[in-house]
Amino acid sequence: MAKILVAGSLNMDLRLTMKKMPLAGETIMGDSIMYNPGGKGANQAAAAAKLGGDVAMLGSVGKDGFGDTLAESLAGCGADVSMLKRADEPTGMATIYVDENGRNSIVVIAGANGCCDTEYLKASRKALEDCEILMMQLETPFDGVWYFVKEAKALGKTVILNPAPAPDSVPDDVLACVDWFTPNETELAKLTKMNCESVEEIKAAAEYLLAKGVGHVLVTVGSRGAYLCDKENSCLIEGIKVKAVDTTAAGDTFSGAFAVALSEGKAPADAIAFANKAASISVTRPGAQGSIPTRDEMGM
Ligand code: RIB
């Protein structure tokens, strides 16, 4: 099984549930409050580890209680957390509003994630040399992400970049180093500045990225599944319809599961079906890392 290295964010999530999201200037009464381990990087590492992958995580947390909790929680999922940095900044935090339809709005305060920078990643180069698959997101300093993606490509690694939260653009020389680019349709629209509502529009935006040198564009489209666009394929791999209670970390679960399936040598269509199933289970449960299924629960 190929070794997976995840480099990215770890956040303590403060999850608030409510019937409807508040409007600007409005005060509402919510229903419940929960602290959960989260962060897009840690969620993807947790997903890959819970689903049976051989996973190590690079990232930065504070020297505070939340930092301890996040490291322990990720280790409990089965990931190697021995290379995490303990920074002199507070651990990253996310406030997550979840409405009665399971939809969320998230505000992230990066804190110690800001120390997952080029200097730290340069110092962690051995971890990159030791892995076969690198997976990153965009909640840590961009310079570091661009540096590591390019280094990984130069070393012949498989690079998965989940461009979330979506920036205005990703440099062309970085895109050319990405094997698997995994935006959702909103992120794809922001990055390409193209409409991405219909399948035809998603295909056109994905083709724009392929022309920039991305190997495969894999667009998650919620409960509809995922759209794969590359030199050989242009197809929707259908998702599994379930009643969602909380979509937080569904995309992270998808990415982590997809990486595991690739690490096991599964063909792309099978890897995407595996990832769709993992994500469909995660949305039926509250929270981020706690909602991710184990391999036993997957039955595949
Ligand atoms: O993708 C979900 C994650 O986004 C949450 O866990 C939160 O921490 C933010 O990073």
Side-chain angles (χ1 to χ4, degrees), residues 9 11-13 37-40 43 94 96 106 108 139 248-249 252 288:
S9 59
N11 297 325
M12 180 54 80
D13 290 351
K40 294 187 194 302
N43 294 344
I96 305 184
I106 304 180
V108 176
E139 283 185 333
T248 307
D252 300 330

Side-chain angles (χ1 to χ4, degrees), residues 197-211:
E197 275 151 37
S198 68
V199 166
E200 292 71 31
E201 288 169 341
I202 290 173
K203 182 168 181 273
E207 281 170 352
Y208 170 83
L209 293 171
L210 292 178

Side-chain angles (χ1 to χ4, degrees), residues 3-74:
K3 207 170 167 50
I4 301 166
L5 179 66
V6 180
S9 59
L10 302 95
N11 297 325
M12 180 54 80
D13 290 351
L14 174 61
R15 175 183 182 269
L16 307 172
T17 63
M18 60 212 68
K19 293 204 170 37
K20 294 200 167 33
M21 305 277 176
L23 301 171
E26 186 185 22
T27 301
I28 61 164
M29 299 302 285
D31 298 323
S32 71
I33 181 166
M34 243 164 85
Y35 281 98
N36 295 309
K40 294 187 194 302
N43 294 344
Q44 293 177 17
K50 286 176 88 170
L51 291 164
D54 179 0
V55 184
M57 169 101 198
L58 293 176
S60 171
V61 292
K63 295 171 182 161
D64 47 28
F66 283 162
D68 295 340
T69 305
L70 295 185
E72 281 160 22
S73 165
L74 192 51

Side-chain angles (χ1 to χ4, degrees), residues 40 44 104 106 136-139 161-170 175 181-197 201-202 205-206 208-209 217-222 247 249-252 254-255:
K40 294 187 194 302
Q44 293 177 17
N104 64 55
I106 304 180
M136 296 190 82
Q137 327 70 36
L138 296 174
E139 283 185 333
L161 181 61
N162 174 228
D168 288 330
S169 66
V170 172
L175 287 174
F181 197 66
T182 62
N184 62 26
E185 67 259 67
T186 313
E187 291 152 357
L188 182 66
K190 185 169 180 202
L191 278 162
T192 59
K193 299 173 183 58
M194 295 166 78
N195 281 335
C196 290
E197 275 151 37
E201 288 169 341
I202 290 173
Y208 170 83
L209 293 171
V217 181
L218 182 52
V219 187
T220 53
V221 286
T247 56
D252 300 330
F254 180 94
S255 290

Side-chain angles (χ1 to χ4, degrees), residues 2 76 87 89 100 102-103 120 141 156-158 188 195 257 274 279 284 292:
E89 298 286 331
E100 63 185 351
R103 290 176 303 208
Y120 162 70
K157 312 299 178 185
T158 297
L188 182 66
N195 281 335
F274 182 77
T284 63
I292 299 166

Side-chain angles (χ1 to χ4, degrees), residues 229-240:
C229 193
D230 57 23
K231 286 199 186 84
E232 289 86 40
N233 306 284
S234 172
C235 57
L236 179 73
I237 292 153
E238 284 193 16
I240 301 166

